[in-house]
Amino acid sequence: MIKSELVQKLAEQNPHLYHRAVERIVSTIFDEITDALVRGDRVELRGFGAFSVKHRPERTGRNPRTGEAVHVPAKSVPFFKTGKELRERLND
Amino acid sequence: MSNNTVTRADLSEAVYQEVGLSRNESSELVESVLSIIADSLADGENVKISSFGSFAVRQKTGRMGRNPKTGEEVPIGPRRVLVFRPSQVLKSVVAGID
């Protein structure tokens, strides 16, 4: 399922809303999660999962082709941990 | 970095501010979006949100695990797990924060 199909489904469940409004609702949700992560906040959606930012310290990497050592600077990466309820739903 | 936690209530509030529906309906819509995604994943179908990331269901084979506290061996059955792969856009906006 891609974003437009998600919008489509939500629109079908809410026939009283304009399609444009439904698009805005879906975008707002993902923008809000993104903005939270950019602030370094955690987004906790019980039963679904939690988004957070993990810090990766700098390290010395290696170019696998040449074997040359390269400095990889510290960075932050988005991380998602599946919620308990969803994890269980995947397996029943 | 602020280190706050954003919840469903904050997402509902954002939808409320942005779209001008009632608070109640805004929170129901947030719930619906999460349910649609969860239902799709529970059906084994991946979900891809452009410029955000994709949620993929992976099948894991069973293996022998170990209780790290007692050292006891415990079988871990085959199972499905969810992996989230952030989009290039999301990765790059988050990369610089510390």
Side-chain angles (χ1 to χ4, degrees):
Chain A
M1 179 167 73
I2 61 171
K3 191 174 172 186
S4 59
E5 293 165 331
L6 169 60
V7 168
Q8 188 57 40
K9 270 198 182 139
L10 190 63
E12 281 164 17
Q13 292 175 6
N14 296 275
H16 60 293
L17 297 177
Y18 285 115
H19 201 270
R20 261 202 331 274
V22 178
E23 275 172 2
R24 264 222 327 278
I25 291 159
V26 171
S27 296
T28 299
I29 293 171
F30 292 109
D31 289 351
E32 230 15 64
I33 298 173
T34 302
D35 291 351
L37 294 176
V38 170
R39 292 193 302 269
D41 288 353
R42 179 184 160 80
V43 180
E44 200 172 297
L45 305 167
R46 288 282 159 86
F48 184 82
F51 296 91
S52 60
V53 172
K54 288 212 165 173
H55 304 285
R56 303 267 180 256
E58 62 172 346
R59 63 188 172 86
T60 304
R62 227 166 250 290
N63 179 330
R65 191 170 298 174
T66 62
E68 191 187 358
V70 278
H71 174 73
V72 182
K75 65 173 174 187
S76 299
V77 295
F79 179 75
F80 176 76
K81 184 173 191 282
T82 312
K84 187 162 179 256
E85 196 188 308
L86 181 54
R87 197 178 339 124
E88 286 167 358
R89 272 192 71 191
L90 294 174
N91 290 292
D92 58 35
Chain B
M1 217 206 313
S2 48
N3 268 316
N4 292 318
T5 300
V6 168
T7 63
R8 277 178 172 76
D10 301 297
L11 299 185
S12 304
E13 182 64 21
V15 168
Y16 169 75
Q17 298 287 347
E18 180 72 27
V19 193
L21 301 164
S22 71
R23 282 210 156 80
N24 220 332
E25 190 169 15
S26 301
S27 90
E28 277 168 17
L29 285 158
V30 169
E31 210 47 60
S32 299
V33 167
L34 296 177
S35 302
I36 293 170
I37 296 173
D39 290 350
S40 176
L41 294 167
D43 284 346
E45 196 198 341
N46 296 343
V47 177
K48 190 173 174 182
I49 308 296
S50 67
S51 80
F52 183 75
S54 62
F55 299 90
V57 181
R58 287 241 180 99
Q59 180 68 49
K60 300 267 248 178
T61 55
R63 63 183 168 87
M64 240 11 213
R66 205 178 272 282
N67 180 330
K69 202 170 281 178
T70 64
E72 190 186 359
E73 284 209 326
V74 274
I76 298 173
R79 66 203 195 284
R80 292 198 301 172
V81 296
L82 179 56
V83 288
F84 172 68
R85 290 198 49 213
S87 72
Q88 227 22 267
V89 177
L90 183 58
K91 275 195 203 165
S92 63
V93 294
V94 163
I97 69 170
D98 54 19

